[in-house]
Amino acid sequence: MPVGLLSLISADLRVSLAAVGLLVTGYGLTVAVVSLPVAHVTRSIPRRHVLSGLLGLLVLASWVCALGPVSYGLLLVARVATALAQALFWAVMGPVAVGLFPPERRGRIIGLLSVGGSLATVLGVPAGTWLGGHGGWRAPFLVLGALALVSLVAVAVLLPTSPPEAGHAAYGVRPDARRFAVVLVTTALSVTGAFAGFTYVVPFLGEVSGFSRDSAGALLMVFGVAGPAGIAAAGPLLDRFPRGTLIVPVAAQAAALLGLYAGGRNQAVTVAMLMLLGASVGPVFMATQSQVLQVAPGRSELALAANSAAFNAGVAAGALTGGALLSVTGVRGTFLVGGLLTAGALAVLVWPGASGSGGSARRAHSTPGPASFLRKLLT
């Protein structure tokens, strides 16, 4: 939410733009650090109670920002509380939603959840920015709290109460610690690559491609709209082609980042590569989430929390990597490095033996090493 409100918050609270930027950085780092520990602590609590509590925390944290006088410190605390809620919400929501349907629909349900999350990103940031510009930066948080309250009532009233370990979605279909490790590395490398370049896409559009500043919003909308389109296209294929629906978008992301580096001075190429990048980033994470539900070597919500932590760590690492490269390679070079990191994720994914097998999970019981450690961590 603060992404489009940074200047408004900075002016109102009389703090620097860099300090307000910490609301975003601190949020991502909090999610990365606490996802797995919080999921582990709450693993025995019924999911309806957990989700209701998380949505209640979101309501409270949002309305603390919206109502009454707010200091920078209080706003930072409220954002960290929201990050704590998100850290667990997505780890729990996947198994809960999948568990409501037959096992053969796992991929389709994950696809639908991903469309919702992608649309929230595409629509939420522009809507929050517009509302903040017309009603002050607190107004979007007021609306966010109201929407969270509606979700809280729906979950508390309609979601069945069942033990968290019950149901087919509580554990992976084909537990495989080696394959799970491959998915985590793929997530971390691909997200680091994506954000190494995309964090600085606005200066790239101006300095390299020659677009005017007024064109940046429209071009980012092109990127944003391509995301749900890619997810909607790939989602129905997750159950039939689990590996292909991960390999193809990772390859497409690498091609898009390298294409922006190589052809970014041509505006038509830039638009095409932005669309390809938007259509691949979302499906990559969706496919990794689907893969985790298949190969989780222990409880699925713990495995999803680990994947979420890898994603958010990749966001932070990518932004830091790109920032460190700016003075060395220029903004164009950040896309080259991002493409190479994504190509590294693709190499890990297609490396012989990376597909794993059910036997590797069984060997993890008796063989020490990373696979055995992952399995113990997630049980």
Side-chain angles (χ1 to χ4, degrees):
M1 184 63 74
V3 169
L5 307 172
L6 295 183
S7 297
L8 295 174
I9 295 173
S10 174
D12 185 48
L13 299 184
R14 297 180 181 179
V15 295
S16 69
L17 198 61
V20 181
L22 289 176
L23 297 175
V24 179
T25 305
Y27 189 102
L29 289 176
T30 300
V31 175
V33 171
V34 306
S35 289
L36 189 54
V38 172
H40 202 274
V41 169
T42 59
R43 67 189 185 281
S44 61
I45 303 175
R47 305 293 87 176
R48 182 169 70 93
H49 299 160
V50 170
L51 289 172
S52 298
L54 295 175
L55 289 166
L57 181 59
L58 176 59
V59 173
L60 179 62
S62 299
W63 283 352
V64 162
C65 298
L67 303 173
V70 180
S71 66
Y72 174 78
L74 183 59
L75 181 59
L76 182 60
V77 170
R79 293 306 295 167
V80 169
T82 305
L84 289 170
Q86 183 194 322
L88 186 57
F89 181 87
W90 284 107
V92 172
M93 178 55 74
V96 167
V98 168
L100 297 174
F101 297 88
E104 61 271 16
R105 295 187 182 180
R106 282 191 172 205
R108 185 175 301 179
I109 301 306
I110 289 294
L112 289 172
L113 288 176
S114 299
V115 168
S118 182
L119 284 175
T121 302
V122 173
L123 301 177
V125 174
T129 303
W130 179 87
L131 188 58
H134 288 78
W137 68 265
R138 290 174 173 82
F141 289 98
L142 183 65
V143 173
L144 178 61
L147 293 173
L149 182 60
V150 173
S151 300
L152 167 59
V153 172
V155 167
V157 172
L158 300 176
L159 193 67
T161 301
S162 59
E165 69 276 6
H168 65 84
Y171 297 92
V173 178
R174 292 180 294 276
D176 190 329
R178 180 184 298 175
R179 179 63 183 167
F180 175 65
V182 168
V183 174
L184 288 186
V185 172
T186 300
T187 297
L189 280 177
S190 65
V191 174
T192 301
F195 280 86
F198 187 72
T199 302
Y200 306 97
V201 68
V202 172
F204 178 91
L205 293 173
E207 296 174 17
V208 179
S209 301
F211 286 102
S212 67
R213 181 172 297 181
D214 294 337
S215 303
L219 291 169
L220 291 178
M221 184 62 69
V222 168
F223 170 89
V225 171
I231 289 172
L237 304 175
L238 286 171
D239 293 311
R240 295 175 58 194
F241 308 104
R243 274 180 55 77
T245 46
L246 181 53
I247 291 173
V248 169
V250 170
Q253 178 182 305
L257 290 167
L258 295 173
L260 284 166
Y261 167 76
R265 292 188 175 91
N266 183 297
Q267 292 187 345
V269 172
T270 297
V271 173
M273 291 299 102
L274 273 180
M275 292 180 65
L276 181 60
L277 185 62
S280 57
V281 170
V284 169
F285 187 61
M286 174 185 68
T288 61
Q289 293 287 83
S290 180
Q291 285 275 299
V292 167
L293 285 174
Q294 294 288 327
V295 303
R299 288 277 292 274
S300 56
E301 72 267 20
L302 298 180
L304 288 169
N307 197 48
S308 178
F311 179 91
N312 284 278
V315 172
L320 290 172
T321 299
L325 289 169
L326 283 176
S327 60
V328 179
T329 65
V331 68
R332 184 166 166 256
T334 64
F335 285 84
L336 172 61
V337 173
L340 294 175
L341 285 168
T342 307
L346 181 62
V348 169
L349 194 57
V350 301
W351 191 264
S355 60
S357 65
S360 68
R362 289 189 293 272
R363 288 190 297 271
H365 283 288
S366 56
T367 305
S372 179
F373 172 76
L374 282 171
R375 193 179 193 286
K376 291 177 180 178
L377 187 64
L378 301 176
T379 55

